[in-house]
Amino acid sequence: MPTWDEILRNIGSTVNIFDSTRRKYIKDLSDYTGRNTIIYYSAFLQKGVLSRQGVDFGIHDADKTGFMTVIHNLDKTKGLDLILHTPGGNVSATESIVYYLKSIFGNDIRAIVPQIAMSAGTMISCACKEIIMGKHSNLGPIDPQFGNLPAHGIIEEFENAKKEISSDPRQIVIWREILSKYNPTLIGECQKAIKWANTMVSQWLKDNMFCGDPDADSKISAIISELGSHATTLSHSRHIHVDALRALGLKIVDMETDNELQDRILSVHHSAIISLTQTKSIKIIENQEGKAFMQSV
C-alpha cells in the first residue's frame, strides 16, 4: 500500500486534461510532418490585463531556458517546426534565441503561425526557411519600440519640432513641453535600435529564406522597407495578412493547401489557447514528446 507522501507525489505528477490533450495534438502534428514540433504560446490575448501588474507576456531571456529544456534529447536531424503565438518582445532576447535555434537546427526551421506572431515574433518567422500561415493568420511590423512608443515616431516628432521651430521660433514654447518627456540621448538610441532590427532581420533572410537567391538583396530591401517602416505600416499593432506578406516576397506556405496539415495545426492551436484560457499558465513552450516549460501566475 502506498504511503501518504507517495500518493501526494503521484497526484502532483499527474498530467491534467489540458496538458494531455494539448500534447496529444502536438504529437499528432509531429507524426504527420515527421519533424520536431515546438510550440511557443503566450496568453497575451487571454490575460493581457495582467500586464498592468507587471506580468511580461513577451519574448524575454528566460525563454532561452524553456527552449533549452524542450530541445534537449530531440533528434536534431528532423529539423524544427516552431509554432508561434506571441505579441513580440525583447529584441536582444529574440536575437539570442534565434542564434540558439539555428545553432541546433541550422536552416531547417519552419515557422507556423496559426493566428498571430507580432513584432519580434515576425522577426523570428523571418529567420526561418518558410512561414506556414492560414487566411486568418497575421504577422506585424518589426519597427522597434521604446516604452510602447515607436522609435520611428519619436524621430519623426523631433524632426517636426526642428522644422516648425526653424520656420517660427515662437513654436518652441509649444514644443518644449512635448519634448521634455524624452531623454537627451533618446534619438541616438532610436536610430541604433532601428539599424539593429533591420540589419538583424536582413541577415536572417539572406542566410535562410533567400539563401542562394540571385534577387535576394532586392527582395530583402522591399521586405525591410515595408515591415520596418512605421511611416508605411502606420501602427506597430498593424495586422498584416498572408496576401500582403507574399506580395512583399516572403516565402509563405498556405495552410489550406493541405487539409490534414491544417486540421492538425489548428487542433494544436485550439488546445493551447484553451489551456491558456482555462488554467493559470501565461506561457507554454512544449515539444512533441510532452516535455514542457511553463510559466504561470
Side-chain angles (χ1 to χ4, degrees):
M1 178 181 295
T3 63
W4 171 278
D5 63 312
E6 289 173 337
I7 294 175
L8 192 61
R9 281 199 302 271
N10 184 56
I11 292 173
S13 64
T14 300
V15 177
N16 64 49
I17 189 63
F18 298 103
D19 291 345
S20 61
T21 301
R22 189 180 62 251
R23 290 167 186 174
K24 172 189 180 303
Y25 289 124
I26 298 173
K27 182 70 163 57
D28 286 347
L29 175 59
S30 176
D31 288 345
Y32 181 73
T33 62
R35 296 171 59 81
N36 292 305
T37 303
I38 293 176
I39 69 169
Y40 178 89
Y41 266 71
S42 167
F44 68 105
L45 295 180
Q46 291 72 36
K47 299 167 183 167
V49 67
L50 295 178
S51 60
R52 300 173 189 171
Q53 301 173 28
V55 175
D56 186 356
F57 293 98
I59 298 166
H60 50 71
D61 283 318
D63 295 332
K64 175 75 75 66
T65 302
F67 279 107
M68 292 172 65
T69 299
V70 302
I71 287 173
H72 183 64
N73 284 336
L74 289 181
D75 180 353
K76 313 306 189 296
T77 65
K78 291 184 176 182
L80 173 64
D81 283 348
L82 180 59
I83 307 181
L84 294 167
H85 182 75
T86 174
N90 184 275
V91 174
S92 59
T94 300
E95 181 180 37
S96 180
I97 288 169
V98 168
Y99 178 86
Y100 174 66
L101 293 177
K102 288 173 69 68
S103 73
I104 301 295
F105 298 102
N107 283 344
D108 193 10
I109 305 174
R110 300 192 300 184
I112 301 177
V113 182
Q115 184 176 354
I116 188 169
M118 298 293 283
S119 190
T122 299
M123 297 172 76
I124 294 174
S125 299
C126 288
C128 300
K129 65 179 182 180
E130 60 189 23
I131 310 169
I132 300 174
M133 302 177 68
K135 296 183 184 301
H136 49 276
S137 306
N138 296 109
L139 298 182
I142 61 171
D143 58 301
Q145 306 289 291
F146 277 87
N148 295 322
L149 294 174
H152 281 279
I154 293 171
I155 294 173
E156 185 179 272
E157 191 164 43
F158 267 91
E159 292 301 319
N160 288 338
K162 286 168 56 179
K163 186 182 298 183
E164 292 192 17
I165 293 171
S166 177
S167 61
D168 182 2
R170 293 173 297 179
Q171 295 293 321
I172 195 171
V173 176
I174 299 173
W175 279 106
R176 182 186 291 117
E177 182 67 25
I178 296 173
L179 299 181
S180 65
K181 61 187 176 183
Y182 298 132
N183 295 324
T185 61
L186 185 58
I187 292 299
E189 293 302 311
C190 287
Q191 292 169 337
K192 292 184 183 73
I194 292 169
K195 181 179 180 180
W196 182 18
N198 290 349
T199 301
M200 187 189 310
V201 175
S202 295
Q203 191 61 53
W204 289 343
L205 287 167
K206 188 172 185 177
D207 289 344
N208 198 355
M209 191 174 290
F210 299 116
C211 182
D213 189 330
D215 299 320
D217 290 341
S218 61
K219 290 179 179 179
I220 293 169
S221 178
I223 291 167
I224 297 299
S225 295
E226 180 76 19
L227 297 183
S229 172
H230 182 68
T232 302
T233 58
L234 303 180
S235 171
H236 193 64
S237 62
R238 187 74 174 265
H239 291 30
I240 305 174
H241 56 76
V242 171
D243 292 338
L245 294 167
R246 182 178 287 110
L248 286 177
L250 287 169
K251 291 185 179 178
I252 306 296
V253 176
D254 291 323
M255 196 184 300
E256 292 83 4
T257 58
D258 184 336
N259 289 331
E260 186 66 26
L261 178 66
Q262 180 185 35
D263 287 346
R264 291 176 187 247
I265 290 173
L266 292 181
S267 292
V268 172
H269 176 67
H270 294 152
S271 62
I273 293 297
I274 291 170
S275 296
L276 293 172
T277 302
Q278 300 291 332
T279 72
K280 295 181 179 180
S281 298
I282 60 169
K283 188 175 288 184
I284 303 172
I285 306 174
E286 190 169 39
N287 69 17
Q288 76 272 9
E289 303 299 333
K291 185 178 288 187
F293 180 90
M294 303 174 71
Q295 299 176 35
S296 303
V297 293

